[in-house]
Amino acid sequence: MMVSDRATPIAWMLAGALLAGCASGDTPADPPGASPVMRRLTQEQYRQSIADIFGADIKIAGRFEPDLRTDGLLALGTTEVSVTPAGFEQYNTMARTIAAQVVDEKHRDALVICKPAAIKAPDDACAGAVLARTGRSLFRRPLTKDELAKTVSMAAAAARTFGNFYSGLEFALAGLLVAPEFLFRVEVAKGGELDAFSKASRLSYLLWNTTPDEPLLAAAEKGELNSEKGLVRQVDRLMASPRLAAGTHAFFADMLGFDRFEELAKDAIIYPAYSLKVAIDAREQTLRTVTDHLIVRGGDYRDLFTTKRTFMTRALGTVYRVPVAAAAGWEPFEFPADDPRAGLLSQISFVAIHSHPGRSSPTLRGKAVRELLLCQEVPAPPGNVNFNVVQDTSNPKFRTARDRLTAHSSEPMCAGCHKITDPIGLGLENFDGLGQYRTAENGAPINAGGELNGFVFKDAASLGKALHDDPAATSCLASNVYKYAAGHKLRAADMPWVEALKRDFAAGGYRMPDLLRRVATNAASYKVSMPSAQTKVALLEGSKP
Amino acid sequence: MRKILSGSVALACLFAIGSSGEAAPGKRTIGFVAWDFIYASYGGGRESCPDGFNRGADELYLADQKPEERERLSKGDGARELGRLVGVRGELNACKNPTEFKNYGLKTYQGAVHNGLNLDGADTTTSANAPPNACAHPNFVSPTGEKGIDNQMGRAVGCIRGYAPGLDFDKTTAGTLSDGSYSVLIEVRGVDDLRNDPEVEVGIYSGTGGVATDPTGKLLPYQSVSIHDDVHYHNETKGKIVDGVLTTDPVHMHLRIDQQVIHSEYDFKDARLRMELAPDGSVLKGILGGYFDIARRWEHFVHAGVITSRLVAYNCPGVFAAIQAMADGYPDPKTGKCTAISTAMRVQAIPAFVIHPNGSKVAEKPAATTASR
């Protein structure tokens, strides 16, 4: 959404990407700015923001609106979603619950910074102080005079109605919590670039996946984020924090498509070891592996596809069939060098979510590798496909998935797409639909060999090596980080800079912190372009019924 | 086989090779968690219990009463009164103080065949002569024809309905083993060959911290289960594997039992295992034989109480007297009266990782599965 000023915050949501010329050569010119965007907070961002503003013990009860995946990322989908009436009811319920807790006797002393002159009457001074401070955190910028005045007035009216200052405050706080300025990250343009508070939000949600903290807001207020030095200082501070792991965690949860865990189901007869606990731990295992390798150890991104290091819980250990000493919680784990498991592809999270409830799926797994890890699009199957051969795992003629898919792909209309996906997915056939290791299916030995972009592999471990060496994997990550930060698809105008980003990523040994720092400190990425008058008119005309 | 250092780790893993120096190179450590650990009941039909199952003290008491009194005591306040009459009297109750209440006697197992092991090395199948250091008792023949089987506990309780195969105690035990109330772990270390190994080291432990089950309540294989913190429940012995059958040397064994209202321990003297190991190591099943310390075993009956005795149909004074009379092991040097009774437990276990208290961890190669799907 394009935003020209704060008085009309939702005026240009549908503004299209603006293309502009770009320089060529080794040092590309800065990309011309895209339109500012307006992003709905994800569930995790909402929860973490509330925890940071009011405390981790504030309970949040309600159902969040479904997310939308656009161009491979939920982060981009957040710019295309709105709040439905039903969703608003949920936000409203959550807001009232949160506000009630903030002013209750348990939290009041810590979160309400002043005492009212009289508890049964309004106190504009005290309410104003509380709402200005809290509103600044919630809106990620100071409230305007008008906004503050209206909110204080609302608190006073409610206090009179209920005969209680805190009830009035609760009412006003709930209002702030359902305001678009809280539920959406509203980017604001000023002088051809994002204003300082919008920059602060981008930085904070990119690196920590939460609302800007007080030092970041203060830096924005002082205009420090508008200078390269000030921007770098804040990026350094945010990146030095342990909270960088949370930001990385969120990015990879998005990139790896882990929202699929919310609908993951397994047949309990076929996979008795599956449980909700296994699903939760499997998701967390991969994200821990990623953040430990990339952030704690500063490792090479490519090694995520071959690493033997991970973390285990007892629930996972039962599926992986490995010992776990810790009776509760997590412990580091390293698979032996000759173990068939290596890298993210062999973890339960990947093979289980890209499977069917009762069987594995080389096609879904291959598609996921292509789309999520290599940023390559796989066409959707036609609507009239006959899946009978693939789905019948009891046919003695086709005992393995390879047998079944070979038979299925003999149909010309299927062969094209399956050539793109299946050779990769068949490399993971030693892991069943839950991710348990196996060497045979229906008594027939599994052949997990295949080929990825010319690299021949014999099993999951060597498939991981193939991915490790595939330049598309690192290129995909760099593109995704850029899009995740900017909130828009790659435009032609972005490409030279993104290509330079990829080169820098490679030159630095594929270190995630370097990639994040490069994106976060790139002043040009905060440049914005406003739609021309003609575009605005065209959009408005187009929006008429 | 190399001895495991005290307090060191021996994470069990089927087909695992080595374990951080506890076993010599090439040796395997295999671990199991029991899903079945209960009296090795047998028979219970007309041949072994020709007079039928025992009845509870309340039924026996009522049988002695006139019809109108029987009617009065069968419902309402009368039923409560019956409970007191047969089971509770002031501070006394029939299981805690069995000699203070009427002994209705006990129908005991009359069959010739029963599960168990030859604990005393003697064969008194056809004679009741007392072997050395034991009290006179007849032996059983095992279901496979082995003579000299010692299982006097089985003889005592074999016609109590609750102990019959597949009935009350079987179900209760399966339930409490799968809900993690208590657990029994077995670890075999220093294994060269799953079929034949002349010397292995065996640990039998109580577990702690719960177990993992599938949605139907069955224990999941390959889970990690911690050994009880209290070394009192760590039992170590030696053994051998012959043609896939593991047998162990006798050891005084203590294992926890936390089963509903029973919170006590199994105190087995001269306890030893005879268990079949599936060729692929996926199942371990067989018998744990030994002598129950009578006093400790009676503690289970005390905890179970009068209510249990009525539910599963036995009278505590009768069982108490039978156990005392049938005790066949560990005679008191002064009185000559035996203080322990031979018994047999049925044990069935699946592969698991046995985690020792110090928690050290070793990554071992998991067994490949050939399972379909």
Side-chain angles (χ1 to χ4, degrees), chain B residues 57-58 61 72-73 76-94 100-102 104 306-307 310:
Chain B
D58 45 353
Y61 181 89
R72 185 183 75 79
L73 292 173
D77 291 342
R80 283 188 281 277
E81 183 184 337
L82 175 65
R84 289 192 293 275
L85 286 169
V86 300
V88 182
R89 195 166 61 240
E91 295 293 311
L92 304 177
N93 84 58
E100 301 293 329
F101 287 75
K102 180 178 178 181
Y104 289 94
V306 173
I307 292 175
R310 294 175 68 183

mmCIF file of all heavy atoms in Angstrom, chain B residues 57-58 61 72-73 76-94 100-102 104 306-307 310:
data_model
loop_
_atom_site.group_PDB
_atom_site.id
_atom_site.type_symbol
_atom_site.label_atom_id
_atom_site.label_comp_id
_atom_site.label_asym_id
_atom_site.label_seq_id
_atom_site.Cartn_x
_atom_site.Cartn_y
_atom_site.Cartn_z
ATOM 1 N N ALA B 57 -14.196 -62.285 50.646
ATOM 2 C CA ALA B 57 -14.605 -62.511 52.031
ATOM 3 C C ALA B 57 -16.069 -62.151 52.254
ATOM 4 O O ALA B 57 -16.772 -62.805 53.039
ATOM 5 C CB ALA B 57 -13.715 -61.694 52.954
ATOM 6 N N ASP B 58 -16.546 -61.151 51.543
ATOM 7 C CA ASP B 58 -17.943 -60.741 51.723
ATOM 8 C C ASP B 58 -18.889 -61.830 51.209
ATOM 9 O O ASP B 58 -19.884 -62.164 51.863
ATOM 10 C CB ASP B 58 -18.229 -59.402 51.019
ATOM 11 C CG ASP B 58 -17.653 -59.336 49.624
ATOM 12 O OD1 ASP B 58 -16.911 -60.271 49.230
ATOM 13 O OD2 ASP B 58 -17.935 -58.344 48.933
ATOM 14 N N TYR B 61 -18.766 -64.685 53.667
ATOM 15 C CA TYR B 61 -19.487 -64.358 54.891
ATOM 16 C C TYR B 61 -20.995 -64.505 54.673
ATOM 17 O O TYR B 61 -21.706 -65.120 55.469
ATOM 18 C CB TYR B 61 -19.142 -62.927 55.329
ATOM 19 C CG TYR B 61 -19.825 -62.501 56.602
ATOM 20 C CD1 TYR B 61 -19.226 -62.740 57.849
ATOM 21 C CD2 TYR B 61 -21.066 -61.857 56.578
ATOM 22 C CE1 TYR B 61 -19.858 -62.352 59.023
ATOM 23 C CE2 TYR B 61 -21.696 -61.471 57.749
ATOM 24 C CZ TYR B 61 -21.087 -61.716 58.974
ATOM 25 O OH TYR B 61 -21.718 -61.334 60.134
ATOM 26 N N ARG B 72 -30.444 -58.487 53.866
ATOM 27 C CA ARG B 72 -30.228 -57.218 54.574
ATOM 28 C C ARG B 72 -28.807 -56.670 54.323
ATOM 29 O O ARG B 72 -28.607 -55.466 54.119
ATOM 30 C CB ARG B 72 -30.435 -57.434 56.078
ATOM 31 C CG ARG B 72 -30.349 -56.134 56.900
ATOM 32 C CD ARG B 72 -30.481 -56.380 58.378
ATOM 33 N NE ARG B 72 -29.287 -56.965 58.975
ATOM 34 C CZ ARG B 72 -28.188 -56.283 59.294
ATOM 35 N NH1 ARG B 72 -28.143 -54.982 59.079
ATOM 36 N NH2 ARG B 72 -27.142 -56.878 59.832
ATOM 37 N N LEU B 73 -27.834 -57.586 54.301
ATOM 38 C CA LEU B 73 -26.448 -57.139 54.169
ATOM 39 C C LEU B 73 -26.040 -56.891 52.717
ATOM 40 O O LEU B 73 -24.911 -56.490 52.445
ATOM 41 C CB LEU B 73 -25.498 -58.193 54.771
ATOM 42 C CG LEU B 73 -25.572 -58.354 56.288
ATOM 43 C CD1 LEU B 73 -24.725 -59.538 56.743
ATOM 44 C CD2 LEU B 73 -25.111 -57.076 56.992
ATOM 45 N N GLY B 76 -27.612 -51.100 50.637
ATOM 46 C CA GLY B 76 -27.706 -49.941 51.516
ATOM 47 C C GLY B 76 -26.780 -50.016 52.709
ATOM 48 O O GLY B 76 -25.607 -50.398 52.601
ATOM 49 N N ASP B 77 -27.344 -49.631 53.857
ATOM 50 C CA ASP B 77 -26.542 -49.629 55.081
ATOM 51 C C ASP B 77 -26.027 -51.021 55.415
ATOM 52 O O ASP B 77 -24.941 -51.184 55.982
ATOM 53 C CB ASP B 77 -27.376 -49.108 56.259
ATOM 54 C CG ASP B 77 -27.666 -47.618 56.110
ATOM 55 O OD1 ASP B 77 -26.948 -46.962 55.302
ATOM 56 O OD2 ASP B 77 -28.599 -47.123 56.771
ATOM 57 N N GLY B 78 -26.810 -52.021 55.029
ATOM 58 C CA GLY B 78 -26.397 -53.397 55.290
ATOM 59 C C GLY B 78 -25.106 -53.732 54.557
ATOM 60 O O GLY B 78 -24.224 -54.411 55.096
ATOM 61 N N ALA B 79 -24.986 -53.255 53.310
ATOM 62 C CA ALA B 79 -23.790 -53.540 52.530
ATOM 63 C C ALA B 79 -22.572 -52.883 53.178
ATOM 64 O O ALA B 79 -21.474 -53.455 53.205
ATOM 65 C CB ALA B 79 -23.976 -53.041 51.106
ATOM 66 N N ARG B 80 -22.791 -51.670 53.704
ATOM 67 C CA ARG B 80 -21.672 -50.992 54.381
ATOM 68 C C ARG B 80 -21.289 -51.758 55.646
ATOM 69 O O ARG B 80 -20.117 -51.892 55.983
ATOM 70 C CB ARG B 80 -22.058 -49.544 54.685
ATOM 71 C CG ARG B 80 -21.992 -48.645 53.458
ATOM 72 C CD ARG B 80 -22.199 -47.189 53.833
ATOM 73 N NE ARG B 80 -23.618 -46.895 54.026
ATOM 74 C CZ ARG B 80 -24.453 -46.618 53.017
ATOM 75 N NH1 ARG B 80 -24.013 -46.618 51.766
ATOM 76 N NH2 ARG B 80 -25.729 -46.364 53.230
ATOM 77 N N GLU B 81 -22.284 -52.241 56.296
ATOM 78 C CA GLU B 81 -22.030 -53.024 57.509
ATOM 79 C C GLU B 81 -21.251 -54.294 57.165
ATOM 80 O O GLU B 81 -20.329 -54.692 57.889
ATOM 81 C CB GLU B 81 -23.364 -53.398 58.173
ATOM 82 C CG GLU B 81 -23.193 -54.155 59.483
ATOM 83 C CD GLU B 81 -24.540 -54.594 60.067
ATOM 84 O OE1 GLU B 81 -25.558 -53.970 59.719
ATOM 85 O OE2 GLU B 81 -24.557 -55.559 60.849
ATOM 86 N N LEU B 82 -21.599 -54.909 56.027
ATOM 87 C CA LEU B 82 -20.903 -56.121 55.599
ATOM 88 C C LEU B 82 -19.411 -55.849 55.396
ATOM 89 O O LEU B 82 -18.555 -56.630 55.810
ATOM 90 C CB LEU B 82 -21.513 -56.649 54.295
ATOM 91 C CG LEU B 82 -20.800 -57.847 53.653
ATOM 92 C CD1 LEU B 82 -20.903 -59.072 54.571
ATOM 93 C CD2 LEU B 82 -21.380 -58.162 52.285
ATOM 94 N N GLY B 83 -19.143 -54.708 54.771
ATOM 95 C CA GLY B 83 -17.744 -54.347 54.558
ATOM 96 C C GLY B 83 -16.978 -54.298 55.858
ATOM 97 O O GLY B 83 -15.835 -54.750 55.953
ATOM 98 N N ARG B 84 -17.617 -53.729 56.863
ATOM 99 C CA ARG B 84 -16.952 -53.630 58.164
ATOM 100 C C ARG B 84 -16.811 -55.025 58.793
ATOM 101 O O ARG B 84 -15.780 -55.354 59.357
ATOM 102 C CB ARG B 84 -17.751 -52.718 59.089
ATOM 103 C CG ARG B 84 -17.688 -51.237 58.692
ATOM 104 C CD ARG B 84 -18.240 -50.358 59.808
ATOM 105 N NE ARG B 84 -19.683 -50.569 60.006
ATOM 106 C CZ ARG B 84 -20.633 -49.937 59.303
ATOM 107 N NH1 ARG B 84 -20.294 -49.070 58.359
ATOM 108 N NH2 ARG B 84 -21.912 -50.161 59.544
ATOM 109 N N LEU B 85 -17.869 -55.815 58.658
ATOM 110 C CA LEU B 85 -17.856 -57.132 59.298
ATOM 111 C C LEU B 85 -16.722 -58.014 58.787
ATOM 112 O O LEU B 85 -16.048 -58.706 59.536
ATOM 113 C CB LEU B 85 -19.189 -57.855 59.054
ATOM 114 C CG LEU B 85 -20.386 -57.338 59.865
ATOM 115 C CD1 LEU B 85 -21.682 -57.954 59.335
ATOM 116 C CD2 LEU B 85 -20.198 -57.697 61.340
ATOM 117 N N VAL B 86 -16.501 -57.967 57.449
ATOM 118 C CA VAL B 86 -15.496 -58.880 56.896
ATOM 119 C C VAL B 86 -14.129 -58.233 56.736
ATOM 120 O O VAL B 86 -13.127 -58.939 56.645
ATOM 121 C CB VAL B 86 -15.933 -59.455 55.538
ATOM 122 C CG1 VAL B 86 -17.223 -60.216 55.675
ATOM 123 C CG2 VAL B 86 -16.058 -58.359 54.493
ATOM 124 N N GLY B 87 -14.084 -56.904 56.706
ATOM 125 C CA GLY B 87 -12.800 -56.299 56.367
ATOM 126 C C GLY B 87 -12.247 -55.322 57.363
ATOM 127 O O GLY B 87 -11.028 -55.135 57.438
ATOM 128 N N VAL B 88 -13.091 -54.647 58.100
ATOM 129 C CA VAL B 88 -12.608 -53.574 58.967
ATOM 130 C C VAL B 88 -13.201 -53.738 60.349
ATOM 131 O O VAL B 88 -14.395 -54.008 60.506
ATOM 132 C CB VAL B 88 -13.018 -52.191 58.403
ATOM 133 C CG1 VAL B 88 -12.481 -51.069 59.277
ATOM 134 C CG2 VAL B 88 -12.520 -52.032 56.966
ATOM 135 N N ARG B 89 -12.342 -53.576 61.344
ATOM 136 C CA ARG B 89 -12.835 -53.609 62.721
ATOM 137 C C ARG B 89 -11.996 -52.623 63.517
ATOM 138 O O ARG B 89 -10.830 -52.900 63.844
ATOM 139 C CB ARG B 89 -12.712 -55.028 63.281
ATOM 140 C CG ARG B 89 -13.516 -55.237 64.555
ATOM 141 C CD ARG B 89 -13.661 -56.726 64.904
ATOM 142 N NE ARG B 89 -12.375 -57.366 65.124
ATOM 143 C CZ ARG B 89 -11.910 -58.396 64.418
ATOM 144 N NH1 ARG B 89 -12.618 -58.897 63.415
ATOM 145 N NH2 ARG B 89 -10.738 -58.937 64.687
ATOM 146 N N GLY B 90 -12.588 -51.468 63.736
ATOM 147 C CA GLY B 90 -11.842 -50.433 64.445
ATOM 148 C C GLY B 90 -10.610 -50.048 63.646
ATOM 149 O O GLY B 90 -10.689 -49.678 62.486
ATOM 150 N N GLU B 91 -9.448 -50.130 64.276
ATOM 151 C CA GLU B 91 -8.194 -49.782 63.621
ATOM 152 C C GLU B 91 -7.664 -50.936 62.770
ATOM 153 O O GLU B 91 -6.664 -50.785 62.064
ATOM 154 C CB GLU B 91 -7.137 -49.441 64.683
ATOM 155 C CG GLU B 91 -7.450 -48.201 65.513
ATOM 156 C CD GLU B 91 -7.406 -46.937 64.666
ATOM 157 O OE1 GLU B 91 -6.426 -46.767 63.934
ATOM 158 O OE2 GLU B 91 -8.380 -46.158 64.731
ATOM 159 N N LEU B 92 -8.306 -52.069 62.876
ATOM 160 C CA LEU B 92 -7.798 -53.256 62.183
ATOM 161 C C LEU B 92 -8.488 -53.433 60.835
ATOM 162 O O LEU B 92 -9.651 -53.064 60.677
ATOM 163 C CB LEU B 92 -8.059 -54.507 63.034
ATOM 164 C CG LEU B 92 -7.502 -54.494 64.467
ATOM 165 C CD1 LEU B 92 -7.919 -55.773 65.199
ATOM 166 C CD2 LEU B 92 -5.987 -54.352 64.475
ATOM 167 N N ASN B 93 -7.751 -53.989 59.869
ATOM 168 C CA ASN B 93 -8.438 -54.436 58.656
ATOM 169 C C ASN B 93 -7.848 -55.764 58.219
ATOM 170 O O ASN B 93 -6.723 -56.127 58.590
ATOM 171 C CB ASN B 93 -8.434 -53.367 57.549
ATOM 172 C CG ASN B 93 -7.201 -53.353 56.717
ATOM 173 O OD1 ASN B 93 -6.833 -54.340 56.102
ATOM 174 N ND2 ASN B 93 -6.534 -52.202 56.709
ATOM 175 N N ALA B 94 -8.626 -56.490 57.450
ATOM 176 C CA ALA B 94 -8.331 -57.893 57.175
ATOM 177 C C ALA B 94 -7.059 -58.108 56.369
ATOM 178 O O ALA B 94 -6.508 -59.211 56.388
ATOM 179 C CB ALA B 94 -9.507 -58.529 56.448
ATOM 180 N N GLU B 100 -6.123 -61.382 62.480
ATOM 181 C CA GLU B 100 -7.163 -60.910 63.395
ATOM 182 C C GLU B 100 -8.566 -61.172 62.841
ATOM 183 O O GLU B 100 -9.555 -60.843 63.484
ATOM 184 C CB GLU B 100 -7.006 -59.409 63.651
ATOM 185 C CG GLU B 100 -5.656 -59.016 64.244
ATOM 186 C CD GLU B 100 -5.483 -59.560 65.647
ATOM 187 O OE1 GLU B 100 -6.506 -59.693 66.361
ATOM 188 O OE2 GLU B 100 -4.336 -59.888 66.015
ATOM 189 N N PHE B 101 -8.634 -61.662 61.609
ATOM 190 C CA PHE B 101 -9.935 -61.870 60.981
ATOM 191 C C PHE B 101 -10.101 -63.345 60.617
ATOM 192 O O PHE B 101 -9.110 -64.098 60.551
ATOM 193 C CB PHE B 101 -10.064 -60.993 59.729
ATOM 194 C CG PHE B 101 -10.242 -59.544 60.042
ATOM 195 C CD1 PHE B 101 -9.178 -58.771 60.482
ATOM 196 C CD2 PHE B 101 -11.497 -58.950 59.935
ATOM 197 C CE1 PHE B 101 -9.342 -57.427 60.776
ATOM 198 C CE2 PHE B 101 -11.667 -57.605 60.231
ATOM 199 C CZ PHE B 101 -10.589 -56.843 60.670
ATOM 200 N N LYS B 102 -11.307 -63.714 60.383
ATOM 201 C CA LYS B 102 -11.596 -65.102 60.067
ATOM 202 C C LYS B 102 -10.914 -65.518 58.762
ATOM 203 O O LYS B 102 -11.017 -64.834 57.749
ATOM 204 C CB LYS B 102 -13.111 -65.321 59.948
ATOM 205 C CG LYS B 102 -13.459 -66.770 59.626
ATOM 206 C CD LYS B 102 -14.961 -66.988 59.549
ATOM 207 C CE LYS B 102 -15.262 -68.439 59.170
ATOM 208 N NZ LYS B 102 -16.706 -68.692 59.062
ATOM 209 N N TYR B 104 -11.067 -67.793 55.752
ATOM 210 C CA TYR B 104 -12.017 -68.639 55.035
ATOM 211 C C TYR B 104 -11.315 -69.708 54.197
ATOM 212 O O TYR B 104 -11.942 -70.407 53.427
ATOM 213 C CB TYR B 104 -12.903 -67.779 54.117
ATOM 214 C CG TYR B 104 -13.898 -66.934 54.889
ATOM 215 C CD1 TYR B 104 -13.616 -65.627 55.235
ATOM 216 C CD2 TYR B 104 -15.136 -67.473 55.248
ATOM 217 C CE1 TYR B 104 -14.534 -64.860 55.930
ATOM 218 C CE2 TYR B 104 -16.059 -66.708 55.950
ATOM 219 C CZ TYR B 104 -15.747 -65.404 56.288
ATOM 220 O OH TYR B 104 -16.656 -64.644 56.977
ATOM 221 N N VAL B 306 -8.679 -54.029 51.472
ATOM 222 C CA VAL B 306 -9.874 -54.863 51.515
ATOM 223 C C VAL B 306 -10.732 -54.661 50.271
ATOM 224 O O VAL B 306 -11.325 -55.604 49.736
ATOM 225 C CB VAL B 306 -10.684 -54.541 52.789
ATOM 226 C CG1 VAL B 306 -12.015 -55.274 52.773
ATOM 227 C CG2 VAL B 306 -9.875 -54.897 54.026
ATOM 228 N N ILE B 307 -10.763 -53.422 49.791
ATOM 229 C CA ILE B 307 -11.611 -53.147 48.620
ATOM 230 C C ILE B 307 -11.164 -53.992 47.438
ATOM 231 O O ILE B 307 -11.976 -54.622 46.763
ATOM 232 C CB ILE B 307 -11.580 -51.648 48.274
ATOM 233 C CG1 ILE B 307 -12.272 -50.863 49.381
ATOM 234 C CG2 ILE B 307 -12.210 -51.389 46.917
ATOM 235 C CD1 ILE B 307 -12.223 -49.370 49.233
ATOM 236 N N ARG B 310 -12.134 -57.581 47.686
ATOM 237 C CA ARG B 310 -13.536 -57.841 47.357
ATOM 238 C C ARG B 310 -13.765 -57.769 45.844
ATOM 239 O O ARG B 310 -14.507 -58.559 45.287
ATOM 240 C CB ARG B 310 -14.436 -56.834 48.072
ATOM 241 C CG ARG B 310 -14.402 -57.013 49.599
ATOM 242 C CD ARG B 310 -15.191 -55.933 50.305
ATOM 243 N NE ARG B 310 -16.622 -56.036 50.077
ATOM 244 C CZ ARG B 310 -17.512 -55.167 50.541
ATOM 245 N NH1 ARG B 310 -17.101 -54.131 51.280
ATOM 246 N NH2 ARG B 310 -18.786 -55.318 50.300
#
